[in-house]
Amino acid sequence: MTTTHADTRRTADFAAVKGLAAGDMQRVDTLIRTRLSSDVVLINQIADHIIAGGGKRLRPMLHVLAANAAGYHGDQHIKLAAVIEFIHTSTLLHDDVVDESDLRRGRKTANALWGNAASVLVGDFLYSRSFQLMVELDDMRVMRILADTTNTIAEGEVLQLLNIGNADVDEAAYLAVIERKTAVLFAAATELGALLGGLPADQVTALRRYGMELGYAFQIADDLLDYVSDADTLGKNIGDDLAEGKPTLPLIYAMQSADEEQKRSLRHAIEHGGLDSLDRIIAAIRDSGALERTHERAVFHADAARDALRSLPDSPWRDAMATLADYSVQRSF
């Protein structure tokens, strides 16, 4: 994929956000490594593999940014950021097993290397470790938000499982899944930052709304990338969602706009999975205008996220969160 001036600028913008949060995120990474340690060798092996896989650590970084934007000056946001990352990573381990994925961020998944059983059990270890950290904070508000969030994520996983292979899934059902699977953890990350900072109720609500809208934007954009990117740039195989029979928004929009022959092809692809006709399916999606509509929907949520920040005091931290709203829908990797 050719790198453009816009790509370079977006990379620089994201690097600036990371730089602002770098001090706190180094502490978060240190805590993550410490708390992932176990007497069980296999847990350490899989944990080391996960850490080495990198990733943007977007969710814990969002919490760090929100806490600073809220004027928080203590240390609890470091533990909470680690909790958020543990919850997210555990869902990835379980996701890869359910999806039978063998590639994530351009590397072999844990289940591909150690098997499904080990991945599920280490995912459980991460969930339980997150709750150990959570209890140490001794704040019932925090525990209630994270307990509810974790339960909601599990509901989202089951909802998505029910939708696999169902060509009649509509936009509302799709949004219900990504709200539970993705957006609620973004929302918890930013709401908890607001709570730590002691913001008034309306600003706590605004920061939660920012996280929720950003989560929508990020996941919709991610689902779009499955049809416009490739394994080298996105870190997974193009067409993975289609191969798994996942009716994501590009497919849903294409089903609404395609001609009858294309609809039959799309329905068959969703119901049976596989990549036998990937080129034809992607052509049908592109011809239908579904990719443009999907991008517009992602931008709608990114704009709503940025708008939610208006009630916060002006600060570099708030500006960084606005930058992430733009980045979420403009990234090409």
Side-chain angles (χ1 to χ4, degrees):
M1 179 174 290
T2 303
T3 300
T4 66
H5 175 70
D7 290 331
T8 302
R9 189 191 69 249
R10 286 191 289 269
T11 302
D13 289 345
F14 184 71
V17 173
K18 287 179 66 178
L20 182 66
D24 280 345
M25 289 305 297
Q26 286 173 3
R27 297 169 64 197
V28 173
D29 284 346
T30 298
L31 183 60
I32 285 172
R33 290 177 183 276
T34 300
R35 292 307 184 96
L36 275 178
S37 179
S38 169
D39 293 335
V40 180
V41 174
L42 182 58
I43 289 176
N44 288 326
Q45 289 176 334
I46 295 178
D48 287 344
H49 177 74
I50 294 167
I51 291 173
K56 298 179 180 67
R57 296 218 197 285
L58 183 59
R59 292 152 187 83
M61 186 167 66
L62 272 174
H63 174 67
V64 163
L65 293 173
N68 280 283
Y72 180 67
H73 298 295
D75 294 318
Q76 288 188 334
H77 66 311
I78 303 301
K79 275 189 179 178
L80 270 175
V83 168
I84 290 162
E85 182 66 5
F86 283 163
I87 291 172
H88 172 59
T89 305
S90 65
T91 65
L92 296 185
L93 284 168
H94 290 163
D95 272 354
D96 287 339
V97 171
V98 172
D99 297 340
E100 299 179 4
S101 299
D102 60 5
L103 191 67
R104 181 175 288 278
R105 298 171 185 150
R107 302 171 75 244
K108 285 285 188 181
T109 56
N111 54 297
L113 294 171
W114 287 280
N116 289 340
S119 292
V120 169
L121 293 173
V122 173
D124 293 343
F125 169 83
L126 285 169
Y127 265 134
S128 58
R129 186 65 97 206
S130 72
F131 276 80
Q132 286 178 320
L133 271 168
M134 200 186 307
V135 169
E136 291 175 18
L137 294 168
D138 196 25
D139 187 327
M140 185 56 69
R141 297 174 307 165
V142 168
M143 288 188 280
R144 182 175 292 112
I145 289 169
L146 286 170
D148 289 347
T149 298
T150 305
N151 188 256
T152 301
I153 291 170
E155 290 179 333
E157 296 283 1
V158 176
L159 270 181
Q160 179 170 270
L161 186 65
L162 291 173
N163 287 347
I164 288 176
N166 182 1
D168 295 318
V169 169
D170 60 14
E171 185 174 353
Y174 163 82
L175 291 173
V177 168
I178 67 170
E179 176 182 334
R180 289 165 171 82
K181 275 202 64 184
T182 302
V184 291
L185 190 55
F186 280 67
T190 51
E191 180 182 11
L192 289 168
L195 286 176
L196 287 183
L199 293 182
D202 63 324
Q203 291 182 346
V204 173
T205 300
L207 264 177
R208 179 175 178 85
R209 189 171 79 252
Y210 164 84
M212 188 70 77
E213 296 289 352
L214 183 68
Y216 278 124
F218 186 88
Q219 187 60 57
I220 292 170
D222 202 57
D223 291 341
L224 175 63
L225 285 173
D226 193 54
Y227 293 97
V228 299
S229 189
D230 54 48
D232 291 334
T233 53
L234 183 58
K236 67 175 184 176
N237 297 315
I238 187 167
D240 273 0
D241 289 342
L242 181 63
E244 294 158 12
K246 288 182 182 177
T248 57
L249 202 55
L251 277 170
I252 292 168
Y253 282 158
M255 286 284 287
Q256 293 173 359
S257 305
D259 61 38
E260 288 305 316
E261 182 180 349
Q262 289 175 327
K263 283 182 182 178
R264 283 193 294 272
S265 294
L266 291 165
R267 176 175 289 275
H268 184 272
I270 295 170
E271 292 176 347
H272 299 281
L275 300 175
D276 295 340
S277 55
L278 178 61
D279 291 342
R280 188 169 73 252
I281 296 301
I282 290 178
I285 293 170
R286 290 174 176 168
D287 290 346
S288 70
L291 299 182
E292 291 78 11
R293 285 184 66 191
T294 301
H295 183 257
E296 288 170 5
R297 182 70 197 221
V299 169
F300 169 83
H301 289 290
D303 288 345
R306 198 184 308 100
D307 186 64
L309 296 172
R310 293 180 184 276
S311 67
L312 294 180
D314 187 26
S315 72
W317 307 96
R318 189 191 73 171
D319 292 344
M321 296 171 75
T323 296
L324 285 180
D326 294 330
Y327 170 80
S328 69
V329 295
Q330 294 171 345
R331 62 206 163 97
S332 59
F333 54 91

